[in-house]
Amino acid sequence: MPWNSRVERVAPFRVMSLLEAAQAREAAGHDVIHLEVGEPDFATPEPVVAAGRAALAAGHTRYSPAAGLPVLREAIAGHYAARFGAEVDPARILVTPGASGALLLASQLLVGRSDRVLMADPNYPCNRHFMALAGAEVDNVPIGPHSGWQLDASLIARHWQDATRLVMLATPSNPTGHMLDAAQLKAVADTVAERGGYLLVDEIYQGLSYDLEPLTVASLTPDAFVVNSFSKYFGMTGWRLGWLLAPQEAVEPLTRLAQNVFLAAPTPAQHAALAAFTPECRELLEARRHELGRRRDALLAGLARLGLAPSLPPQGAFYLWLDISRYSRDSQVFCQRLLEEENVAITPGVDFAVNGGEHHVRIAFTTGIARLEEAVSRLERFLARM
C-alpha cells in the first residue's frame, strides 16, 4: 500500500547524512571541523540551566495550557515591548515545541489543497515541506544579489497568482544570513495585505544581526504571523521551545490545533526560558552575538584571500551562502570530497535551493576563529587540487 502522496513530496535533509559521515570520521580519529549544522558551540546560558533545574526540583513537570504558561507568554510580550517597542497582547502568543511546532500550526491553519505559497529560493527546506504536508503548492522565487538575497515586495508582486494565499519569508534568513530592513519589510506587509493574502515571517534568527538593528514585523503590522524560537539567539536548541505570534482572531483555532497536535510545549523548558529574559542572561547573549560577528568577519577575510567571499556579506544569523561554480556544479560531491580529503564539514546547497543549489554551499560560522581559519587553510589546499 503506498504512503500518503504528500509525504513523498518531503525530500530528505541531506545535511544530516553528511553530519553522520562527519561524526563517523571523528569517531575514527580524524580532526573534523564542523561547519555544517546550525548550532553554535555555546552551551545553554547558565541562568537558563539553573532555572530548568529549579523547575524540575519544584516538580514543574505536569502539562501546561496548550498555548503555554501565562507567565512565559507575558515575558515574551515584555520582550517585544522592551527590545522592539512593539505592543503585543500576550494572548496572541502561543508557546510551541520548537519553532517547528509553530510552523506546523501556521501551515495547517493558513493553507490547504489548491492554495499557493510564495517563498524565497534558497530557503530553509522544512518551510516548504510543511506547506507541502498541508497540501499547498510552493512557488520558489529565485533570489540573489539583485534583491539582497531576500523575497522583497517587487518579487512578491511579480509572482503573485490568483491562487496565492500565503507569503513566507525569513529575516535574517537561513541559508544566506540576509535581512530586510524596516522599510522593505513594511513594503512586503503592504503588498501582501493589498492582495488579501497572509504573511508568515520566520524570525528565529532575530537578535543575531551584525550590520542592521534587529527588528520584528510585529512592530509594523498586527496582521502578520510570526514564528520565533528559543534555539538560536537564546541558545536553547535541545530544549525544543518556540512560539507563534498570531493575529487575535487566529488564536482560538490555533489553540484548538495545538490541543490536538501536541497538547503543550515541554513544561520544564518553559520555566527555564523565563530566565532567558533576565538582564544577566541578556548580557551573556549579547557577548555571544558580538563573538559571532567576529567569527563572520574572520571567515569573510579568509574567503576573500581565496577570491571566494560573497559580494553581499550576511547581515545576520550565522551562515555564509557561497558560490562554488568556479570549482564544481555538484555541491553534494564537493562537500563529500571536502569532508573525506580535508575533514571539513559544510552543507550542500541542494538542501536549500531548488534552483542553483548544485553550485552553492552553506558554511556555518559556529566554531571559534582559530578553527575557522584552519578550515579556510584546508579549503585552500582542497581547491588547489581541483
Side-chain angles (χ1 to χ4, degrees), residues 44 149 159 223 266 272 287 290 311 341:
T44 296
W149 288 104
H159 289 87
D223 298 325
H290 289 300
S311 58
E341 297 177 27

Side-chain angles (χ1 to χ4, degrees), residues 42 90 194 281:
F42 306 132
E194 288 163 4
C281 198

Side-chain angles (χ1 to χ4, degrees), residues 249-263:
E249 62 272 17
V251 171
E252 189 276 329
L254 286 169
T255 303
R256 273 191 282 121
L257 281 171
Q259 291 167 346
N260 285 274
V261 173
F262 50 71
L263 194 64

Side-chain angles (χ1 to χ4, degrees), residues 31-360:
D31 176 29
V32 176
I33 301 177
H34 290 277
L35 308 177
E36 76 277 42
V37 178
E39 185 173 36
D41 57 347
F42 306 132
T44 296
E46 180 54 34
V48 174
V49 174
R53 290 196 193 101
L56 291 171
H60 295 312
T61 57
R62 304 180 72 84
Y63 294 131
S64 78
L69 293 172
V71 66
L72 180 57
R73 298 165 76 191
E74 290 168 5
I76 295 170
H79 172 68
Y80 277 106
R83 190 82 188 271
F84 307 107
E87 294 301 322
V88 172
D89 185 345
R92 293 174 52 207
I93 297 166
L94 291 91
V95 180
T96 58
S100 297
L103 184 56
L104 174 62
L105 294 183
S107 61
Q108 293 300 312
L109 179 72
L110 297 176
V111 296
R113 186 176 300 176
S114 79
D115 292 328
R116 307 195 73 87
V117 180
L118 286 180
M119 284 189 188
D121 185 24
N123 201 339
Y124 183 59
C126 298
N127 291 345
R128 61 179 178 267
H129 294 158
F130 268 108
M131 299 304 162
L133 285 172
E137 296 293 330
V138 175
D139 294 314
N140 297 288
V141 180
I143 58 172
H146 62 282
S147 64
W149 288 104
Q150 274 288 353
L151 184 60
D152 62 17
S154 63
L155 287 172
I156 291 168
R158 191 181 315 160
H159 289 87
W160 192 276
Q161 301 182 45
D162 289 343
T164 302
R165 182 176 176 86
L166 175 68
V167 172
M168 183 177 182
L169 56 85
T171 177
S173 69
N174 176 11
T176 74
H178 290 87
M179 299 174 61
L180 291 170
D181 63 27
Q184 293 169 321
L185 196 52
K186 182 64 164 60
V188 164
D190 290 345
T191 299
V192 174
E194 288 163 4
R195 287 158 176 78
Y198 294 113
L199 175 62
L200 175 61
V201 182
D202 173 349
E203 294 184 351
I204 73 170
Y205 293 95
Q206 181 190 63
L208 292 176
S209 60
Y210 314 111
D211 301 324
L212 297 174
E213 284 297 311
L215 75 156
T216 175
V217 70
S219 298
L220 307 172
T221 173
D223 298 325
F225 292 77
V226 184
V227 171
N228 212 321
S229 174
F230 285 95
S231 290
K232 306 303 181 181
Y233 177 74
F234 296 104
M236 295 177 62
T237 49
W239 298 77
R240 306 313 305 135
L241 204 63
W243 72 84
L244 177 65
L245 173 61
Q248 188 64 56
E249 62 272 17
V251 171
E252 189 276 329
L254 286 169
T255 303
R256 273 191 282 121
L257 281 171
Q259 291 167 346
N260 285 274
V261 173
F262 50 71
L263 194 64
T267 301
Q270 293 188 62
H271 284 277
L274 290 168
F277 300 114
T278 62
E280 176 189 9
C281 198
R282 171 69 184 278
E283 183 178 354
L284 174 60
L285 295 173
E286 282 298 289
R288 292 179 175 186
R289 180 176 68 87
H290 289 300
E291 169 61 17
L292 286 169
R294 288 190 288 269
R295 293 178 181 185
R296 178 200 67 160
D297 294 344
L299 181 57
L300 285 171
L303 292 172
R305 181 169 55 82
L306 305 185
L308 277 176
S311 58
L312 292 176
Q315 302 140 320
F318 34 70
Y319 307 112
L320 286 177
W321 183 243
L322 200 62
D323 186 343
I324 57 164
S325 57
R326 285 166 46 192
Y327 299 98
S328 176
R329 302 290 294 190
D330 190 331
S331 59
Q332 291 186 83
V333 171
F334 183 93
C335 291
Q336 191 64 39
R337 283 190 55 192
L338 181 61
L339 175 62
E340 293 173 354
E341 297 177 27
E342 293 291 348
N343 293 304
V344 176
I346 61 176
T347 308
V350 289
D351 261 346
F352 303 95
V354 176
N355 303 285
E358 68 278 0
H359 56 83
H360 281 86

